[in-house]
Amino acid sequence: MPAFEIMSPLLDNRAVTDAEPITSRAAGEITAEVTDDLEVVEATWRRLQAGGIESPGQNFDFIHAWVQHHGIAREDQRYVVGCVDGEAVALLPLHRKKVHGVSVFTWFPGANVGCYAPVSNYGRLAALDPMARCLLWQTMFSHLDGADLVYLRSIPAEVGGHSGLFDELGATLTVETLYRSEYSSWKECDRLQRSKSRRKHDRQQGDRLGAMGEVSFEEVRNGGDTRCAIETMFIQRSARFKAMGIRDTFVRDGLIGFYHDLAKAGSGVDVRLHILRLNGQIVAVRYNVVHNDRMFCLISSMSDDLAIQNGSPGKQCLLWVMQTVFDQGIRVFDMGSGFTDEKRHWCNVQMPLRQHYVGLTLQGAVIVKAHRVFQKMRAAIKANPQLKAAVRGGRQIFDRITGASHPVAAEKSE
């Protein structure tokens, strides 16, 4: 891939070499740079994320840990920075993957994070008119080569308090919903979300769990005693996946070590584990990442012991979380996409998520059209309980007959 010798204000006026930006493209006052070196864009990335993020996938340290853990080759990394009047306003971190023989640029963590978006100065983007934003995205993609298409999944329709900032970013398709709890305090959350009957129900569940022994709740942060809780969480998740006939993406994709590494002291990612114990034994865990006043739940688990499940340890753990975090300064609790009972109970914000597509080649443009049709069919199946059960049952029967292993859509899997 060609490299050009240029001088760039984005990169602290250092000359660009093969180890730094790959190309540079100017279009009036809008410019873009592409590099395969994550370290080159670190300062710019950190400046942009300081203004707020919508997802851990926009956090530099999270992506740095992901790249290191998976040993992703330099040639399969792209970091595209778009500037207006020399000021960086958007950054796209992209991973080149082979999907069924097709080269695709997409987000690094796949479906392991609930939503994504370009790392951006949202206020600066909002100040641009739609034509200027369209030109910015076109300029950023203009010299991005090495793949047939760009697939950017799960971008919220509203980011940073602004709607439509990414409307011009390729072709879009809305197929999912993001669920969030936004409250100023537990008192507000309790008043708005819990009716009298709901409080009674929560109390009854708590009484059933308490009748089995001593119940305790704790929050553990980076560098604390996280290993046992994380291991238990993944054991509980595996049992849940097995019972549902779902591919265990954490085990199959070798992700357990990554989540252990994030929870270590000095990882740069603010990890908070919420742990519920019964008689000292872990019965529910929630793995969260915090950035400023936002908390993102990445994984949750509970005991598969039917006797313990009678006390709803997962729901009780979440109740403790809600009673705790909003009075600690958290204002937004992101529970990810996909409808569940807990989101119905606690989330007062629902936001459309869009898939964004950019065809880089003629073949890529054809694939984009086909994938959009597939996504529409997939969304229709997920929205229909009967169809969803039929598809899952059919796959399980096929697996038993053939001995094959097919990935089935899950909360955190592709």
Side-chain angles (χ1 to χ4, degrees), residues 205-206 208-210 212-213 215 236 276-279 281-284 302-316:
Q205 289 182 330
R208 285 198 295 269
L209 192 64
M212 301 179 202
V215 178
Q236 291 173 348
L276 189 72
R277 297 177 186 270
L278 176 63
N279 296 323
Q281 300 298 311
I282 296 173
V283 294
M302 67 175 180
S303 170
D304 64 336
D305 186 314
L306 293 179
I308 293 176
Q309 284 187 4
N310 187 51
S312 301
K315 291 181 180 179
Q316 285 297 302

Side-chain angles (χ1 to χ4, degrees), residues 30-61:
I30 294 177
T31 59
E33 297 175 358
V34 185
T35 180
D36 60 3
D37 188 345
L38 178 55
E39 308 302 328
V40 168
V41 297
E42 178 178 359
T44 298
W45 190 327
R46 291 191 185 279
R47 284 198 298 271
L48 289 172
Q49 76 177 35
I53 62 176
E54 299 293 319
S55 160
Q58 295 174 291
N59 179 290
F60 176 86
D61 293 298

Side-chain angles (χ1 to χ4, degrees), residues 279-308:
N279 296 323
Q281 300 298 311
I282 296 173
V283 294
V285 183
R286 300 187 72 90
Y287 189 114
N288 310 287
V289 167
V290 172
H291 183 89
N292 295 340
D293 62 354
R294 297 191 173 204
M295 185 168 77
F296 306 90
C297 183
L298 300 188
I299 313 168
S300 63
S301 74
M302 67 175 180
S303 170
D304 64 336
D305 186 314
L306 293 179
I308 293 176

Side-chain angles (χ1 to χ4, degrees), residues 194-259:
R194 297 213 301 167
S195 63
K196 182 178 180 180
S197 61
R198 173 75 190 284
R199 292 189 184 96
K200 179 180 179 181
H201 183 67
D202 288 342
R203 185 170 60 253
Q204 288 173 337
Q205 289 182 330
D207 290 343
R208 285 198 295 269
L209 192 64
M212 301 179 202
E214 181 183 356
V215 178
S216 62
F217 174 82
E218 64 178 323
E219 178 183 88
V220 180
R221 302 193 182 191
N222 297 73
D225 185 12
T226 62
R227 175 158 292 278
C228 180
I230 293 174
E231 290 291 341
T232 301
M233 177 184 71
F234 283 119
I235 291 171
Q236 291 173 348
R237 287 304 301 173
S238 291
R240 177 67 170 164
F241 286 140
K242 184 177 181 180
M244 296 176 67
I246 290 175
R247 177 182 185 270
D248 189 340
T249 185
F250 300 114
V251 173
R252 297 284 187 87
D253 297 344
L255 297 176
I256 295 176
F258 168 75
Y259 287 102

Side-chain angles (χ1 to χ4, degrees), residues 148-385:
D148 291 301
L149 62 103
V150 180
Y151 172 48
L152 304 176
R153 61 175 295 147
S154 303
I155 297 181
E158 178 181 315
V159 295
H162 304 282
S163 297
L165 289 191
F166 305 118
D167 285 358
E168 300 77 27
L169 180 53
T172 66
L173 178 66
T174 302
V175 296
E176 292 183 309
T177 301
L178 180 69
Y179 294 87
R180 287 173 171 168
S181 296
E182 298 187 9
Y183 304 104
S184 62
S185 64
W186 160 244
K187 183 177 180 180
E188 181 187 41
C189 174
D190 184 43
R191 175 173 58 83
L192 296 177
Q193 289 300 120
R194 297 213 301 167
S195 63
K196 182 178 180 180
S197 61
R198 173 75 190 284
R199 292 189 184 96
K200 179 180 179 181
H201 183 67
D202 288 342
R203 185 170 60 253
Q204 288 173 337
Q205 289 182 330
D207 290 343
R208 285 198 295 269
L209 192 64
M212 301 179 202
E214 181 183 356
V215 178
S216 62
F217 174 82
E218 64 178 323
E219 178 183 88
V220 180
R221 302 193 182 191
N222 297 73
D225 185 12
T226 62
R227 175 158 292 278
C228 180
I230 293 174
E231 290 291 341
T232 301
M233 177 184 71
F234 283 119
I235 291 171
Q236 291 173 348
R237 287 304 301 173
S238 291
R240 177 67 170 164
F241 286 140
K242 184 177 181 180
M244 296 176 67
I246 290 175
R247 177 182 185 270
D248 189 340
T249 185
F250 300 114
V251 173
R252 297 284 187 87
D253 297 344
L255 297 176
I256 295 176
F258 168 75
Y259 287 102
H260 275 297
D261 290 344
L262 279 190
K264 292 179 179 178
S267 75
V269 180
D270 184 353
V271 172
R272 303 187 190 182
L273 296 179
H274 291 121
I275 305 166
L276 189 72
R277 297 177 186 270
L278 176 63
N279 296 323
Q281 300 298 311
I282 296 173
V283 294
V285 183
R286 300 187 72 90
Y287 189 114
N288 310 287
V289 167
V290 172
H291 183 89
N292 295 340
D293 62 354
R294 297 191 173 204
M295 185 168 77
F296 306 90
C297 183
L298 300 188
I299 313 168
S300 63
S301 74
M302 67 175 180
S303 170
D304 64 336
D305 186 314
L306 293 179
I308 293 176
Q309 284 187 4
N310 187 51
S312 301
K315 291 181 180 179
Q316 285 297 302
C317 183
L318 182 55
L319 175 60
W320 279 88
V321 170
M322 290 296 191
Q323 291 172 332
T324 303
V325 298
F326 292 110
D327 290 336
Q328 292 178 338
I330 297 298
R331 293 294 173 262
V332 178
F333 182 14
D334 188 311
M335 295 193 194
S337 61
F339 182 75
T340 63
D341 210 32
E342 66 181 27
K343 293 170 187 176
R344 177 174 64 86
H345 286 159
W346 294 111
C347 295
N348 61 337
V349 175
Q350 298 181 21
M351 192 177 302
L353 289 178
R354 297 173 178 172
Q355 321 287 46
H356 290 242
Y357 303 85
V358 179
L360 300 177
T361 65
L362 180 58
Q363 177 178 320
V366 172
I367 294 170
V368 163
K369 290 183 179 180
H371 195 266
R372 293 182 75 196
V373 171
F374 164 75
Q375 288 282 13
K376 289 179 181 178
M377 292 175 57
R378 184 169 178 260
I381 291 172
K382 289 175 70 175
N384 186 307

Side-chain angles (χ1 to χ4, degrees), residues 50-197:
I53 62 176
E54 299 293 319
S55 160
Q58 295 174 291
N59 179 290
F60 176 86
D61 293 298
F62 188 96
I63 298 302
H64 184 271
W66 185 274
V67 170
Q68 293 294 314
H69 178 79
H70 289 80
I72 299 173
R74 274 273 295 270
E75 59 264 28
D76 291 327
Q77 302 175 48
R78 297 291 189 279
Y79 305 97
V80 191
V81 181
C83 302
V84 178
D85 295 329
E87 176 191 359
V89 297
L91 185 153
L92 280 169
L94 301 173
H95 180 196
R96 183 173 63 179
K97 299 180 179 180
K98 280 281 189 180
V99 182
H100 301 302
V102 179
S103 289
V104 179
F105 285 123
T106 188
W107 306 121
F108 282 93
N112 287 275
V113 176
C115 72
Y116 297 88
V119 190
S120 307
N121 180 329
Y122 299 130
R124 192 72 177 87
L125 272 183
L128 300 176
D129 61 37
M131 185 175 295
R133 284 197 296 269
C134 182
L135 182 58
L136 173 67
W137 305 127
Q138 289 179 348
T139 303
M140 291 174 70
F141 290 121
S142 62
H143 276 194
L144 183 63
D145 59 11
D148 291 301
L149 62 103
V150 180
Y151 172 48
L152 304 176
R153 61 175 295 147
S154 303
I155 297 181
E158 178 181 315
V159 295
H162 304 282
S163 297
L165 289 191
F166 305 118
D167 285 358
E168 300 77 27
L169 180 53
T172 66
L173 178 66
T174 302
V175 296
E176 292 183 309
T177 301
L178 180 69
Y179 294 87
R180 287 173 171 168
S181 296
E182 298 187 9
Y183 304 104
S184 62
S185 64
W186 160 244
K187 183 177 180 180
E188 181 187 41
C189 174
D190 184 43
R191 175 173 58 83
L192 296 177
Q193 289 300 120
R194 297 213 301 167
S195 63
K196 182 178 180 180
S197 61

